[in-house]
Amino acid sequence: MRLEYFEMIDTVVALDREAGRIETRSVVPAASPVFEGHFPDHPLVPGVLLTETMAQASGYLLLARDDFARMPFLMAVDKARFRAFVEPGAELTVEARIVHEGSGYAATAATLSAGGRRIADAELRFRTMPFPAGLDGRMREQAARIGLLAGAPSA
Amino acid sequence: MSSTFETVAGIISETADIPREKITPESHAIDDLGIDSLAFLDIAFAIDKAFGIKLPLERWTQEVNEGKVPAEEYFVLKNLVARIDALVAAKAA
């Protein structure tokens, strides 16, 4: 994870395009400017960044599902819950699945856990649109970095 | 008033925070109720879930934008309700 660059996903552990399911892994860095303010001498990953982590896992799932035909943009976060603190060094797993594919949007359910313990969960919705100019290639670069395009094992 | 209309009106009222009494079968979702495209996606999600269908919003929007179909055909609520009923019937067939 590079929190300040919003690179929240390190690796795609498993992907099942047909079933609409993904599992990702991320390691919280030991140090980040984010922790200077959240909170001084008591570093915790902000809940908004845990939500972003679940959203990015879901987004990569939708990108893979659509074979990079459309870009998902987060449009709604429902029923988000944060059940435990996440500290530097934590190893995070996100499991996300598609719960509905509408016309021009999709909904996912995501759970973030650490050490087998559920930390956070949310229902997320994304507007799916044609890629803005130039973003397609950059998203493919990010997807390659995390192994999404490398044939991740089936979930 | 059909049960489909009542369900749709309830969804619109709750999702877009519009008083229920302002929503009639003749209401135009955009022109009369002021629902924007993002809010309409929220409404579409709730309608999809409630009726177990997939509103073809993108196709409708494209047809309207290309001038092939007047917006009223899709976005006046009595017409929207008729299309929902048709989608439900097609699914059951």
Side-chain angles (χ1 to χ4, degrees):
Chain A
M1 289 177 119
R2 294 205 300 166
L3 301 181
E4 57 275 28
Y5 291 96
F6 269 55
E7 290 182 3
M8 313 308 286
I9 306 298
D10 291 341
T11 309
V12 175
V13 177
L15 170 69
D16 188 334
R17 288 182 178 83
E18 294 302 313
R21 182 178 173 277
I22 196 170
E23 181 179 332
T24 65
R25 180 176 178 275
S26 306
V27 178
V28 179
S32 164
V34 169
F35 298 138
E36 294 173 17
H38 197 282
F39 296 95
D41 299 324
H42 191 74
L44 295 173
V45 179
V48 69
L49 293 185
L50 299 177
T51 304
E52 176 67 18
T53 305
M54 293 187 283
Q56 289 193 14
S58 297
Y60 284 120
L61 170 59
L62 293 171
L63 283 168
R65 174 88 153 187
D66 283 349
D67 198 20
F68 284 77
R70 302 166 68 86
M71 177 69 189
F73 292 98
L74 183 63
M75 63 170 277
V77 178
D78 290 335
K79 300 178 184 173
R81 296 290 184 274
F82 308 98
R83 304 170 191 281
F85 295 136
V86 176
E87 299 178 349
E91 296 186 13
L92 306 177
T93 296
V94 175
E95 293 184 38
R97 60 187 172 85
I98 297 169
V99 296
H100 183 73
E101 288 176 291
S103 176
Y105 77 93
T108 69
T111 299
L112 184 148
S113 58
R117 181 185 185 193
R118 188 169 65 160
I119 301 288
D121 41 76
E123 296 176 7
L124 307 164
R125 254 176 294 144
F126 298 82
R127 188 172 199 164
T128 60
M129 305 171 66
F131 274 96
L135 187 55
D136 182 359
R138 299 307 296 268
M139 291 311 299
R140 285 181 183 274
E141 289 173 13
Q142 292 293 326
R145 176 183 64 79
I146 64 172
L148 187 73
L149 300 179
S154 293
Chain B
M1 212 71 75
S2 76
S3 62
T4 301
F5 173 77
E6 292 300 333
T7 301
V8 170
I11 286 170
I12 291 174
S13 176
E14 184 174 338
T15 306
D17 198 20
I18 295 171
R20 171 64 186 82
E21 62 272 17
K22 287 191 175 179
I23 303 169
T24 74
E26 302 298 329
S27 299
H28 190 301
I30 301 164
D31 296 345
D32 297 332
L33 302 179
I35 298 168
D36 63 25
S37 60
L38 197 58
F40 207 88
L41 282 182
D42 282 333
I43 291 166
F45 178 52
I47 289 174
D48 283 1
K49 279 199 302 183
F51 293 97
I53 58 174
K54 178 175 173 176
L55 284 183
L57 266 188
E58 287 196 299
R59 178 168 62 77
W60 291 357
T61 304
Q62 185 176 355
E63 289 173 357
V64 170
N65 289 342
E66 292 174 353
K68 294 178 178 173
V69 179
E72 292 75 17
E73 285 295 315
Y74 299 130
F75 297 111
V76 167
L77 295 193
K78 65 181 181 184
N79 297 333
L80 175 65
V81 164
R83 291 177 186 280
I84 291 169
D85 284 338
L87 287 165
V88 171
K91 187 186 173 198

